[in-house]
């Protein structure tokens, strides 16, 4: 009675969006969700690495909302009973194999990296493919679609639906964004976030910000000039129908004066002596420091410092830390920022975005709402 989605597309923020949609899909079909591992790419490792779901999030909190088990539990305890090797069929919408001989394996579920290493991690091979078209993953905008899935794939004949790609869309549909509240960081991640806070921040309110600055992002943001709709996660501030504004390059890649101004204002409003900056490109922060020259006494700029030399920034600890800042300023277009925004939204904590609203130089709603009294250090 399970659904397993291969959530390999993209990096963490992307995968999180797919997870929310997949959880909702499983709920609509009333099937247990097999929580796939996170797919990561580590330096000098040619193949993707599969990180068990529960290293980052608590399974019991997801399962409280809808039955869910990890891939490890599924393969160890359930699959031997209901999903023997001879019954392993991969699902995809239509033929995925683009070139070559007439396909014997239309879903090509294990072609390339990460798909190959993903299934190999659990010793899974597929005996055939099932093309489920015209049934789509969008059970919310296509009337009667969930019922058609249930009729075509009844659990007694199809106990497991194993998808070659996530049965969900990116970016996450509006209707599913709130499901982030069921994803609570594991104790290990929370502890790393607590340590980060203790080590680097004063015991006082703090502002947390995300600056997406890498060259991949710079290139992506150049596309905003031609874009007419939303891009990546920009619906989180612009609205799914862009009812709150339009996509601009500045929203995607804000200029330093804007960043410095919003930071100073946020620190002032929250009476925070420190601003924690999470970024994918710390080498670019010198420009920010130059921009803040003359205002050093207003707040301390804090960034990732490895506890051991050379350790890369811990993305999950940073996300968990940002989620509990007194005020968060994120990048509206980034799905990494979106993880923080959705978690804070569920907790009722204020967030703002760089260069948003576009024409406002005045304080935003969230700036005003920021309450220095919450949350406390113990709440992480
Ligand atoms: O999470 P993600 O899909 O968000 O991908 P975007 C960005 C990745 O960069 C994260 C790292 O998963 C992290 O590994 N990263 C970014 C960071 N910011 C930080 C940070 O502040 N701290 C740490 N520790 N790591 C989009 C992708 O990225 O970028 C698209 O989703 C595409 O697929 C586009 O690649 C160019 O939405 O920001």
């Amino acid at each position: 009675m399970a659904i397993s989605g291969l959530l390999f597309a993209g990096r963490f923020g992307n995968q999180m969006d797919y997870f929310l949609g997949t959880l909702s899909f499983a709920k609509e079909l009333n099937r247990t969700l097999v929580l796939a591992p996170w797919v990561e790419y580590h330096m000098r490792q040619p193949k993707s690495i599969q990180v068990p779901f529960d290293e980052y999030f608590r399974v019991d909190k997801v399962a409280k909302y809808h039955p869910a088990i990890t891939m490890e539990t599924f393969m160890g305890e359930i699959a031997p009973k209901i999903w023997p090797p001879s019954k392993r069929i991969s699902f995809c919408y239509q033929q995925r194999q683009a070139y070559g001989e007439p396909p014997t394996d239309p879903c090509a579920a294990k072609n390339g990296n990460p798909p190959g290493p993903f299934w190999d991690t659990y010793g899974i091979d597929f005996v055939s493919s099932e093309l489920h078209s015209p049934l789509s993953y969008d059970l919310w905008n296509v009337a009667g679609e969930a019922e058609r899935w249930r009729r075509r794939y009844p659990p007694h004949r199809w106990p497991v639906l194993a998808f070659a790609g996530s049965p969900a869309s990116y970016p996450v549909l509006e209707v599913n964004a709130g499901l982030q509240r069921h994803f609570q960081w594991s104790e290990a991640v929370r502890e790393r976030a607590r340590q980060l806070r203790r080590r680097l921040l004063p015991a006082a309110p703090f502002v947390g910000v995300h600056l997406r600055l890498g060259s991949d992002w710079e290139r992506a943001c150049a596309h905003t000039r031609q874009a007419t709709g939303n891009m990546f996660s920009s619906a989180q501030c612009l609205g799914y129908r862009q009812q709150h504004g339009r996509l601009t390059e500045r929203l995607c890649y804000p200029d330093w004066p804007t960043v410095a101004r919003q930071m100073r204002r946020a620190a002032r409003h929250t009476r925070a002596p420190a601003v924690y900056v999470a970024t994918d490109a710390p080498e670019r922060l010198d420009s920010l420091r130059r921009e803040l020259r003359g205002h050093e006494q207003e707040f301390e700029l804090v960034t990732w410092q490895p506890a051991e030399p050379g350790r890369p920034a811990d993305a999950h600890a940073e996300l968990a830390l940002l989620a509990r800042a007194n005020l968060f300023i994120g990048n509206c277009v980034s799905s990494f920022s979106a993880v923080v925004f959705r978690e804070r939204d569920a907790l009722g904590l204020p967030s703002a975005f760089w260069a948003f609203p576009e024409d406002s130089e005045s304080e935003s709603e969230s700036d005003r709402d920021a309450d220095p009294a919450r949350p406390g250090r113990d709440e992480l």
Side-chain angles (χ1 to χ4, degrees), residues 5-12 15 19 36-42 47-53 56 113-115 117-119 121-122 316:
L6 165 52
L7 308 165
F8 63 80
R11 290 180 281 169
F12 186 75
Q15 292 182 47
F19 250 118
W38 302 95
V39 175
E40 294 183 358
Y41 307 89
H42 293 184
K47 293 180 179 176
S48 65
I49 308 289
Q50 279 46 245
V51 179
F53 177 88
Y56 298 151
N113 181 30
F118 177 91
W119 298 107
T121 301
Y122 301 94
H316 307 95

Side-chain angles (χ1 to χ4, degrees), residues 11-14 210 212 217 232 278-280 313 315 318 334-336:
R11 290 180 281 169
F12 186 75
N14 270 196
H210 176 221
R212 184 76 161 90
W217 193 249
F232 302 137
T279 182
D280 55 319
E318 288 202 305
S334 165
S335 38
F336 192 80

Side-chain angles (χ1 to χ4, degrees), residues 175-196:
V175 65
N176 293 328
L179 295 181
Q180 182 82 43
R181 69 184 180 282
H182 304 295
F183 288 75
Q184 287 193 18
W185 295 107
S186 66
E187 187 43 39
V189 171
R190 285 158 68 106
E191 180 50 29
R192 297 206 303 271
R194 279 193 287 263
Q195 282 174 15
L196 198 56

Side-chain angles (χ1 to χ4, degrees), residues 117-136:
F118 177 91
W119 298 107
D120 280 342
T121 301
Y122 301 94
I124 297 170
D125 286 307
F126 294 103
V127 291
S128 64
S129 295
E130 168 69 13
L131 310 184
H132 61 75
S133 121
L135 295 186
S136 83

Side-chain angles (χ1 to χ4, degrees), residues 68-371:
I69 52 174
T70 61
M71 186 79 148
E72 290 71 23
T73 304
F74 173 71
M75 287 310 290
E77 297 171 21
I78 316 285
K81 294 180 208 146
I82 65 166
W83 206 46
S86 62
K87 294 252 169 72
R88 294 182 183 170
I89 297 169
S90 64
F91 274 62
C92 58
Y93 182 76
Q94 58 189 13
Q95 184 183 321
R96 288 154 53 99
Q97 203 165 286
Y99 307 105
E101 300 294 305
T104 49
D105 173 20
C107 284
K110 292 187 69 174
N111 271 19
N113 181 30
F118 177 91
W119 298 107
D120 280 342
T121 301
Y122 301 94
I124 297 170
D125 286 307
F126 294 103
V127 291
S128 64
S129 295
E130 168 69 13
L131 310 184
H132 61 75
S133 121
L135 295 186
S136 83
Y137 303 139
D138 188 349
L139 310 182
W140 298 271
N141 297 309
V142 186
E145 197 73 334
E147 184 50 34
R148 282 191 286 279
W149 271 95
R150 284 192 287 265
R151 260 191 273 121
R152 182 159 157 193
Y153 299 112
H156 63 276
R157 282 190 37 230
W158 297 88
V160 178
L161 310 181
F163 290 92
S166 308
S169 52
Y170 174 81
V172 65
L173 296 177
E174 188 169 16
V175 65
N176 293 328
L179 295 181
Q180 182 82 43
R181 69 184 180 282
H182 304 295
F183 288 75
Q184 287 193 18
W185 295 107
S186 66
E187 187 43 39
V189 171
R190 285 158 68 106
E191 180 50 29
R192 297 206 303 271
R194 279 193 287 263
Q195 282 174 15
L196 198 56
R197 184 167 183 185
R198 267 187 239 118
R199 205 157 50 81
L200 301 179
L201 288 160
F206 75 101
V207 174
V209 308
H210 176 221
L211 283 170
R212 184 76 161 90
L213 301 173
S215 48
D216 64 329
W217 193 249
E218 208 173 355
R219 280 192 299 275
C221 290
H223 292 292
T224 53
R225 290 176 218 149
Q226 294 92 46
T228 49
N230 273 312
M231 190 169 109
F232 302 137
S233 294
S234 64
Q236 65 183 321
C237 71
L238 301 180
Y240 277 79
R241 291 159 295 286
Q242 290 193 290
Q243 65 271 36
H244 304 309
R246 59 185 185 89
L247 184 65
T248 60
E249 196 166 358
R250 196 163 147 256
L251 186 81
C252 188
Y253 209 100
D255 53 86
W256 294 118
T258 300
V259 170
R261 191 171 53 244
Q262 283 187 246
M263 257 184 197
R264 292 178 53 216
R265 189 187 295 155
R268 210 167 43 237
H269 277 279
T270 51
R271 298 198 285 281
V275 175
Y276 185 91
V277 181
T279 182
D280 55 319
E283 68 282 2
R284 296 197 172 186
L285 292 182
D286 283 346
S287 309
L288 175 61
R289 290 195 183 92
R290 269 197 298 277
E291 192 64 41
L292 287 167
R293 223 168 257 161
H295 299 281
E296 290 87 350
Q297 73 292 355
E298 292 176 25
F299 61 88
E300 185 191 353
L301 200 66
V302 179
T303 57
W304 168 263
Q305 303 291 331
E308 298 137 37
R311 195 131 154 238
D314 180 336
H316 307 95
E318 288 202 305
L319 286 168
L321 181 72
L322 295 177
R324 302 303 168 122
N326 293 74
L327 176 63
F328 169 64
I329 310 176
N331 185 308
C332 172
V333 183
S334 165
S335 38
F336 192 80
S337 277
V339 178
V340 180
F341 175 73
R342 286 188 302 254
E343 180 173 348
R344 295 178 63 87
D345 205 34
L347 294 166
L349 297 175
S351 301
F353 295 99
W354 304 118
F356 180 81
E358 193 189 357
D359 53 0
S360 167
E361 290 298 301
S362 63
E363 65 187 40
S364 72
E365 283 289 312
S366 3
D367 284 351
R368 265 179 276 129
D369 288 350
D371 175 358

